[in-house]
Amino acid sequence: MSTATPVTAGADTAAVRQAIATTARPPRPGPLSTALTFGWRGMLKVKHVPEQLLDVTVTPVMFLLMFTYLFGGAIAGSTSAYLDYTLPGLLVMSVLFTTVYSGVSLNTDLTKGVVDRFRSLPIWRPAPLLGSLLGDSVRYVIAGTVIIVVGVALGYRPDAGVTGALGALALVVVFSFGLSWVFSVLGLLLRSPNAVMNAGFMGIFPLTFLSNVFVDPATLPGPLEAFVNVNPISILATACRSLMDGTPDGEAITTSLVVAAALAAIFLPITTRLYRSR
């Protein structure tokens, strides 16, 4: 078996350096292409670990079936009447629950050292953050689509048809994108993925159940009704109901978009600063 002599090794090294020196340097990737690349990375993770889709497929169906058939008759008198009321709210709840995993995924990358590798790359610094949340938006669309399809299979018929359903889904996805920056901050502050998940659900569970997702606020005690009426999740559920019923509530839709923009405007800079310092 032959071995390379020092002269041959030196020649090979010189040839490699010459090739590098005479080859044009590839252009630096732009912010948009870099963010989309990291978004695609999130999709590839789902491809290799399909179990990640369980939270956006099985969980929404479980919530829809459980609340409709366990509580529907007692609350609304019939399961079909309760399905018409609660499906837009369950659409909101199922997609918002999925936003917690944005923080969990970011914390996982952080604790495994993946973020340190990203920092060494000559790319736009916020690209891994933005790309990750763009990839998560696909999960939001899947979760919302599952709820709507199963609801239609159970007998739900939106008065506004496909257009109303798509409008409600789009509004929920936009709101979820703004909310996901909140959980990204948690993902950078806490020490483990389990801590992020527990803290996230401890915050979102009370807000979701203290809303008009499941019951009409008029049936609640006065102080609780007042809180439910100003709860952003209640306003988002009202906006989705109005879109799917074919009578868009401009005030509720505008308020939901403003809240989503405010969440992103407040927590996006905080997330970026924490990301650079960790």
Side-chain angles (χ1 to χ4, degrees):
M1 182 175 180
S2 62
T3 59
T5 65
V7 175
T8 305
D12 291 342
T13 302
V16 170
R17 290 178 177 175
Q18 179 65 22
I20 294 174
T22 57
T23 303
R25 184 175 182 177
R28 187 184 182 93
L32 179 60
S33 63
T34 309
L36 292 177
T37 299
F38 279 100
W40 180 244
R41 170 182 176 263
M43 296 297 96
L44 290 178
K45 290 166 64 177
V46 174
K47 175 184 176 181
H48 293 294
V49 188
E51 294 82 4
Q52 293 185 10
L53 286 179
L54 289 177
D55 64 298
V56 298
T57 53
V58 177
T59 304
V61 174
M62 180 183 67
F63 276 125
L64 181 61
L65 295 176
M66 182 176 65
F67 283 101
T68 299
Y69 290 103
L70 286 181
F71 306 123
I75 295 175
S78 69
T79 56
S80 59
Y82 189 65
L83 180 63
D84 290 341
Y85 176 83
T86 197
L87 187 134
L90 286 172
L91 168 65
V92 170
M93 185 186 75
S94 298
V95 178
L96 294 189
F97 277 8
T98 308
T99 60
V100 176
Y101 294 95
S102 297
V104 174
S105 176
L106 179 58
N107 186 272
T108 301
D109 285 344
L110 187 67
T111 54
K112 289 185 176 181
V114 178
V115 171
D116 293 331
R117 297 183 181 183
F118 291 161
R119 290 199 187 103
S120 68
L121 299 176
I123 57 174
W124 184 48
R125 293 300 181 188
L129 286 173
L130 182 58
S132 176
L133 296 186
L134 288 175
D136 288 337
S137 296
V138 177
R139 294 159 64 94
Y140 307 155
V141 173
I142 294 174
T145 302
V146 168
I147 279 288
I148 294 173
V149 170
V150 174
V152 170
L154 295 177
Y156 176 78
R157 296 294 182 269
D159 293 337
V162 176
T163 303
L166 291 178
L169 178 59
L171 180 62
V172 175
V173 170
V174 170
F175 189 94
S176 298
F177 182 78
L179 182 62
S180 62
W181 290 103
V182 178
F183 297 113
S184 295
V185 170
L186 286 179
L188 292 170
L189 289 176
L190 301 181
R191 296 184 179 182
S192 69
N194 285 337
V196 177
M197 184 178 297
N198 292 335
F201 281 114
M202 282 177 62
I204 201 168
F205 252 103
L207 285 176
T208 302
F209 283 92
L210 293 176
S211 70
N212 65 0
V213 167
F214 302 108
V215 296
D216 187 345
T219 63
L220 302 175
L224 186 57
E225 180 184 359
F227 175 81
V228 169
N229 287 332
V230 298
N231 184 346
I233 295 179
S234 292
I235 298 172
L236 178 60
T238 299
C240 290
R241 286 192 183 98
S242 69
L243 286 168
M244 299 179 86
D245 289 342
T247 56
D249 186 332
E251 181 179 355
I253 295 172
T254 302
T255 302
S256 298
L257 293 174
V258 168
V259 171
L263 290 173
I266 294 171
F267 289 96
L268 190 155
I270 297 175
T271 304
T272 304
R273 178 169 297 182
L274 289 172
Y275 182 80
R276 289 174 177 173
S277 63
R278 289 297 300 268

